[in-house]
Each structure stands twice: as C-alpha cells, then as structure tokens.
Amino acid sequence: HKHIDILKIDIEGWEFETLTTLIKPYIASGKPLPFSQLQLEIHIWNKSFEEFLGWWEMLEGAGLRPFWTEPNLVYLNYNKQGTPDLAEYSFLNIKGDNIFLQDPKAAAGHPHAPAS
C-alpha cells in the first residue's frame, strides 16, 4: 500500500516519539503524509505544556487538522483520583490526495469516470 485512508493509533504514551519519527521526514521533504485521516488516543502523562505544544504544532505543520475530540471517560472513571490525561482525537490531513476532502481522480476508461 502507498496510502492509508484511516490510520488508528493507541500506543500508550509512545505516540509522541513515534509520530515525531514518522512525520518529520515528510515535513523536511515537503511530501504529504501517506494517510488521509488519523485517529489517535493522546496520553499526556508527564508532558509539559511546551512539549505538547511543540508536538501539536508539528502535527499541524504536516497538514493534520483536528476535527473531533472526546475525553477518555473510562480512564477517568477508573482512576477516580486521576486527571483527564487521555483523549481521543481525529485529524484530517489537508495535504496530498485525500478522499475525505475531494473526489478521487477518476481513472481513464473507468465505467464511472465523468464524460470528457
């Protein structure tokens, strides 16, 4: 596969290091990320605001825009003395060929291609 429509990640706090390693080469090359939508559980355990903000700005620099969020209430209810450190986020990638933002390019000769 060269492109993923929806990528779901829940890796218990490793999303910061993993996504930084994945995304930075795409930003440096100017190429769009190879996925259209990212669904991610964010764990902000032991993160300062400055660390989180820098990471979030990297996501935006790569073309990811949040469109939905929900706190993880299961974690919050289970950890009665805890804080809301987990949240589910969904992002759209506004760069590249994204089926969620525009119609796909019809292949020539495809039966459903628009008439030329």
Side-chain angles (χ1 to χ4, degrees):
H1 298 284
K2 294 180 182 174
H3 189 84
I4 300 168
D5 289 325
I6 300 174
L7 177 62
K8 169 70 173 149
I9 299 175
D10 181 0
I11 50 178
E12 305 306 316
W14 288 98
E15 61 274 11
F16 296 95
E17 184 178 330
T18 302
L19 285 174
T20 298
T21 301
L22 172 70
I23 291 173
K24 279 195 172 185
Y26 285 94
I27 292 173
S29 71
K31 294 181 181 177
L33 294 170
F35 50 87
S36 298
Q37 187 180 126
L38 174 64
Q39 295 179 350
L40 175 67
E41 184 173 49
I42 298 176
H43 309 77
I44 56 169
W45 301 316
N46 305 313
K47 293 284 180 214
S48 70
F49 177 75
E50 291 77 17
E51 290 172 311
F52 182 79
L53 179 61
W55 180 78
W56 186 271
E57 288 174 338
M58 179 201 62
L59 297 180
E60 289 188 339
L64 296 174
R65 298 296 184 269
F67 69 89
W68 180 81
T69 186
E70 175 182 303
N72 184 324
L73 296 177
V74 172
Y75 172 80
L76 190 58
N77 287 327
Y78 177 75
N79 251 345
K80 297 283 186 199
Q81 304 302 317
T83 57
D85 296 337
L86 280 62
E88 302 283 346
Y89 272 86
S90 292
F91 298 85
L92 277 178
N93 182 0
I94 63 167
K95 296 182 179 180
D97 190 16
N98 187 338
I99 189 116
F100 297 109
L101 298 177
Q102 60 193 6
D103 290 333
K105 296 174 182 71
H110 189 277
H112 301 294
S116 39

